[in-house]
Amino acid sequence: MAANKDNKHYISRSESRAIARENSKAIRFYEKQKKRKVKPDEYTTQMKDDKNIIEFEDLHTYFFSDAGTVKAVNGVSFSIPAGSTVGVVGESGCGKSVTSLSLMQLVQAPSGQIVSGSIRFKASLFKRDEKGKKIPVYETETVDGEERVKVDEKGKKVIKKNELGGNVYEMEDRVVDIAKMPTEAMRSIRGREIAMIFQEPMTSLNPVFTIGNQLDEVGYLHIEGISKKQVKAHSIEMLKMVGIADPEGVYKKYPHELSGGMRQRVMIAIALLCNPKLIIADEPTTALDVTIQAQILDLLREIKHKINGSIMLITHDLGVVAEMADYVVVMYAGRVIEMGTAEDIFDHPMHPYTIGLQKSKPTVDGEVDKLYCIPGFVPNPIDMPDYCYFRDRCEMCKEKCAGAYPEYVQVSPTHKVACYLYEDTKEDGNGKD
């Protein structure tokens, strides 16, 4: 049967070849950028606000597919203040997980690439000598009133050890742009300074290795000089920290021998092994029952205070966000459409999409026969419109919504919304009636 060329989803053979050529050219360019060898000065930058640990600015992450370029993250900008929990919410496919994977440089390559934008992060990097090697800190001793570097029986300098038994190296605080970092440089940050709790532990844990093997691997990778005995003791200590009753027994087990809640706790233990500054929790309670969900959320809250870190909580469950988050970022079709404190978003939602999300959530005391459902469908990410992406589903749209994509409106010092309904709203709280 001949293909219908009037069908907007139809791609001719010549168009398919042109897309493949463009994709190949773009992928080669971005892969080359990730493999380049440069000095840290090339990806060093400055934070716009020193109180933040992470700043996303105009981030674009695309997937180069056979049907065209999928704009999964299409100009995302928001920040995570140090010591806070930021909830990123939105329906499936809105770009939440791709934003977090961009931060970790774990977007599925070669088709997925960070195309442009900045991800600024306050990092503690190893100082390097002229040959690019880490500079160790040596133990000292006083001999005849003079302080000298301590040496062992073989005459080698003794490297100082940290509380875990690993080598101590000279460090420097530096703000880096993760979007511009080579892959090799990112390896010293990923897992050590930024850790991720993945959505489904059964697919994230390796079924052919024991829990102990998978915990120890993180220790060996990021804590240089640690002994086998020390890394095992630290792994068991982390299992205790996340509330596992029999840590020595679980250490020897395989993932399939554990329940869903136990596997999720193991994932959290792996993420926390190196005391990261930022934990990314990608829907950590989706596959768990309600009672285990509550335990995991309590655990995350407790651990955040213990390590004095920050959490980027990705979820579509508004109840989880209301309980955990200090700030909320609402995403739709690859863009941030509203952001503010938890009080701003839950007590004074402004974007029609945010209002729709809250109306579609059941409540204990609600007396409604039928839950609200946002009409229509998300636009095709390969061919996004120039106007507001939510326009065709919006029950409040006006004539101006057919124009250019709306700019952010600052409705209060902490609250922003991208919607023409509030273009006349000034930063005096007028939008919160």
Side-chain angles (χ1 to χ4, degrees):
M1 183 185 289
N4 180 11
K5 293 188 179 182
D6 294 329
N7 184 349
K8 63 181 179 178
H9 299 296
Y10 170 78
I11 298 174
S12 68
R13 189 177 299 173
S14 59
E15 286 174 329
S16 180
R17 284 199 295 264
I19 289 170
R21 280 196 300 271
E22 289 299 314
N23 286 353
S24 180
K25 183 180 176 182
I27 287 169
R28 281 199 305 271
F29 172 77
Y30 294 118
E31 285 295 304
K32 188 177 179 182
Q33 290 292 103
K34 289 193 287 188
K35 292 174 184 175
R36 74 194 194 283
K37 292 185 178 180
V38 294
K39 292 182 178 179
D41 293 341
E42 190 167 314
Y43 49 81
T44 298
T45 182
Q46 288 185 329
M47 304 294 279
K48 286 195 172 179
D49 185 346
D50 205 47
K51 293 178 182 176
N52 295 330
I53 186 82
I54 282 282
E55 290 177 350
F56 294 90
E57 185 175 1
D58 197 28
L59 178 68
H60 291 76
T61 302
Y62 297 167
F63 289 87
F64 298 96
S65 75
D66 293 339
T69 303
V70 178
K71 298 178 179 179
V73 173
N74 195 17
V76 163
S77 298
F78 69 92
S79 56
I80 301 177
S84 68
T85 299
V86 174
V88 184
V89 300
E91 61 193 307
S92 296
C94 71
K96 308 184 299 294
S97 294
V98 177
T99 301
S100 66
L101 291 170
S102 300
L103 171 55
M104 293 288 283
Q105 278 199 11
L106 288 175
V107 178
Q108 186 65 55
S111 62
Q113 300 288 344
I114 298 173
V115 172
S116 63
S118 299
I119 308 172
R120 295 184 288 272
F121 173 62
K122 277 185 180 176
S124 296
L125 301 179
F126 294 105
K127 280 188 178 180
R128 306 275 177 173
D129 58 20
E130 294 176 355
K131 295 180 179 178
K133 294 183 178 180
K134 291 183 279 190
I135 303 170
V137 177
Y138 297 106
E139 286 190 21
T140 58
E141 58 183 352
T142 304
V143 179
D144 298 330
E146 185 180 346
E147 193 174 44
R148 297 178 184 175
V149 174
K150 195 174 182 180
V151 295
D152 60 17
E153 296 172 352
K154 297 179 180 178
K156 288 185 179 181
K157 295 177 182 178
V158 178
I159 300 175
K160 200 172 182 180
K161 298 287 184 179
N162 59 27
E163 65 275 7
L164 300 177
N167 296 340
V168 176
Y169 295 94
E170 290 187 28
M171 308 293 290
E172 60 177 340
D173 292 331
R174 189 186 287 260
V175 178
V176 296
D177 187 346
I178 288 174
K180 294 178 176 63
M181 283 183 83
T183 304
E184 190 62 38
M186 183 63 193
R187 286 196 182 110
S188 68
I189 292 177
R190 188 196 300 126
R192 185 176 64 88
E193 300 237 282
I194 307 173
M196 189 166 183
I197 303 164
F198 292 95
Q199 185 171 349
E200 177 46 64
M202 196 61 203
T203 56
S204 302
L205 294 169
N206 194 321
V208 300
F209 291 106
T210 63
I211 298 301
N213 285 144
Q214 297 180 63
L215 279 160
D216 292 350
E217 183 183 20
V218 180
Y220 288 130
L221 277 173
H222 296 291
I223 310 171
E224 195 171 319
I226 195 168
S227 69
K228 189 174 181 180
K229 185 178 178 181
Q230 288 168 327
V231 79
K232 181 180 178 180
H234 185 48
S235 295
I236 290 172
E237 185 60 36
M238 293 311 299
L239 291 174
K240 283 182 188 174
M241 186 180 177
V242 297
I244 289 177
D246 178 22
E248 288 85 359
V250 169
Y251 180 88
K252 299 173 185 175
K253 289 184 177 179
Y254 289 87
H256 71 271
E257 297 180 273
L258 306 180
S259 67
M262 293 274 272
R263 286 195 291 266
Q264 194 64 278
R265 287 171 189 270
V266 169
M267 289 295 298
I268 295 172
I270 291 172
L272 297 175
L273 203 77
C274 298
N275 292 335
K277 293 179 181 177
L278 176 69
I279 302 165
I280 303 167
D282 187 359
E283 306 206 20
T285 60
T286 300
L288 307 176
D289 60 67
V290 178
T291 53
I292 302 299
Q293 276 188 26
Q295 291 176 16
I296 295 296
L297 294 178
D298 287 340
L299 177 62
L300 282 173
R301 197 182 293 110
E302 181 186 339
I303 284 168
K304 173 179 166 274
H305 294 302
K306 270 187 182 177
I307 66 173
N308 195 27
S310 306
I311 295 178
M312 178 178 172
L313 179 64
I314 298 166
T315 182
H316 57 261
D317 190 333
L318 292 174
V320 170
V321 173
E323 186 180 345
M324 290 284 294
D326 302 309
Y327 301 92
V328 181
V329 174
V330 184
M331 288 186 68
Y332 179 77
R335 282 185 182 249
V336 174
I337 55 157
E338 188 171 0
M339 65 180 96
T341 62
E343 184 182 349
D344 289 333
I345 301 300
F346 286 96
D347 293 348
H348 309 285
M350 304 194 80
H351 198 284
Y353 177 67
T354 311
I355 295 167
L357 280 181
Q358 294 204 26
K359 283 166 67 178
S360 62
K361 181 172 176 58
T363 55
V364 175
D365 56 349
E367 295 181 2
V368 290
D369 296 327
K370 190 177 180 182
L371 282 175
Y372 176 77
C373 177
I374 299 172
F377 301 95
V378 181
N380 186 347
I382 292 175
D383 187 22
M384 299 299 280
D386 296 327
Y387 51 81
C388 174
Y389 298 163
F390 192 63
R391 174 181 170 262
D392 296 333
R393 304 178 69 186
C394 184
E395 296 173 343
M396 303 181 202
C397 72
K398 53 184 184 177
E399 191 176 331
K400 198 167 184 180
C401 296
Y405 194 93
E407 299 289 330
Y408 286 113
V409 177
Q410 189 86 42
V411 293
S412 82
T414 58
H415 197 175
K416 278 184 184 179
V417 61
C419 185
Y420 281 119
L421 292 172
Y422 308 100
E423 61 182 341
D424 298 326
T425 305
K426 296 178 181 178
E427 193 181 303
D428 57 4
N430 288 342
K432 298 181 177 182
D433 43 40

